[in-house]
Amino acid sequence: MDLTPRPGATPAPPGAYYAYAETPAETTTRLRPVKARNPGRTAAAAVCAVLGLGLIGGAITGSWLTADSAADPGAGSAYSVGRSAWHSVPVDTLFPATLKGDGAGPGATDRVWTRVAVANDSGCGAGLDPLLLQTLRPVGCERLVRATYTDATRSSVTTVGIVFTEGDTDAMSALDTRFTTQRLAGRSDLMPRAYPVKGTVAAGFGDRQRASWTVHVLTELPAVVFAVSGFADGRPVAEPQPAAAAMAADATTAPAQAGFGHEAKGVADRVERTLRRTVTDLTEQPE
């Protein structure tokens, strides 16, 4: 996305995803000569104006009452606030420069992840494989935001993303149920894509380097949070493993041995917590 300000544009808060509001085009209207007023007509016009204002006022009041009674129950709620968070919340809030994972590593070891880069907000096709995109289609895709992190040793990289959906509470609950009953989060053909960044430790982080992943459908917010991790040196992984399985105590696969399940789950959990806390704070702000 081009973030170059347009002439006369108003910049958004620092770190916001979309940066500039368009300035409406100016218009001019040629003035016409005004004829002399007739006193009788003026009085009649005044009476009509008073009656008209009364009718309009009553109509507006009625429309307000009607709108209130038939309003979307999600208006002003976590759903309406959450759906717009991708452009109303600064990027440094959604994806902090540093994530602390106390006890998030194998054996409850501490982890610290440093942000490598943030992708421009986009449609979901840019960061999701076609089959995962199709699976999320019932809730729609408002916007996708992603960032890539590396661990303190710079030996692993993790892409974390948030899909802001168009679904309501029923649609999100149905999707969550489907993911649970059909165990979709553990299917490798529904694994999210990595976000490689040239000139960084994540330059070689592509599809073949994905080692472990997690996908979580939220129900109290219109969002799906995911993360995928792998080696920072570009090493391919023959058999990726979902985070839940890779974190099992008896897991002996390469992703499990390298702690990639903990990496993906740890980063995703902290981004998800930040999103929940931010939306809660915005929803509970006094009017």
Side-chain angles (χ1 to χ4, degrees):
M1 182 180 63
D2 182 13
L3 298 181
T4 304
R6 304 183 185 91
T10 302
Y17 277 100
Y18 76 107
Y20 306 101
E22 295 193 11
T23 302
E26 295 183 0
T27 57
T28 57
T29 304
R30 185 181 297 276
L31 297 178
R32 298 179 181 179
V34 180
K35 296 181 180 180
R37 296 180 179 178
N38 183 298
R41 290 181 179 177
T42 300
V47 173
C48 290
V50 171
L51 293 175
L53 287 173
L55 292 174
I56 293 173
I60 291 175
T61 302
S63 67
W64 283 345
L65 294 174
T66 302
D68 286 343
S69 61
D72 179 1
S77 69
Y79 262 67
S80 59
V81 173
R83 186 168 289 116
S84 64
W86 68 269
H87 64 76
S88 62
V89 177
V91 63
D92 288 335
T93 299
L94 287 178
F95 300 122
T98 301
L99 294 173
K100 293 184 179 181
D102 296 340
T109 56
D110 294 341
R111 282 287 192 268
V112 176
W113 297 282
T114 302
R115 194 180 66 202
V116 174
V118 178
N120 288 333
D121 63 275
S122 66
C124 286
L128 305 180
D129 280 334
L131 188 56
L132 179 54
L133 183 62
Q134 181 179 349
T135 304
L136 299 181
R137 188 164 294 160
V139 297
C141 175
E142 177 72 20
R143 213 63 179 162
L144 168 66
V145 294
R146 296 178 294 162
T148 294
Y149 287 82
T150 186
D151 69 331
T153 66
R154 297 176 67 84
S155 61
S156 71
V157 284
T158 301
T159 292
V160 60
I162 307 172
V163 176
F164 291 95
T165 77
E166 300 167 346
D168 57 14
T169 54
D170 290 339
M172 294 302 296
S173 294
L175 182 64
D176 176 55
T177 299
R178 184 184 175 195
F179 261 76
T180 302
T181 57
Q182 299 181 18
R183 301 181 180 179
L184 300 184
R187 285 179 45 169
S188 59
D189 56 352
L190 296 179
M191 185 169 26
R193 286 177 176 166
Y195 172 53
V197 187
K198 292 182 179 180
T200 72
V201 67
F205 188 34
D207 288 350
R208 297 180 63 238
Q209 286 69 39
R210 295 177 294 180
S212 189
W213 74 98
T214 179
V215 179
H216 186 207
V217 178
L218 280 62
T219 55
E220 70 276 26
L221 295 175
V224 178
V225 178
F226 66 83
V228 57
S229 59
F231 291 107
D233 59 7
R235 195 184 321 173
V237 178
E239 296 183 8
Q241 188 175 30
M247 294 172 64
D250 58 348
T252 59
T253 62
Q257 295 277 333
F260 286 129
H262 291 83
E263 298 292 311
K265 188 69 163 58
V267 172
D269 281 354
R270 276 137 192 88
V271 168
E272 180 180 319
R273 292 173 194 172
T274 299
L275 176 63
R276 292 175 187 271
R277 183 171 60 250
T278 301
V279 172
T280 298
D281 290 345
L282 291 174
T283 304
E284 294 178 351
Q285 283 182 353
E287 298 181 358

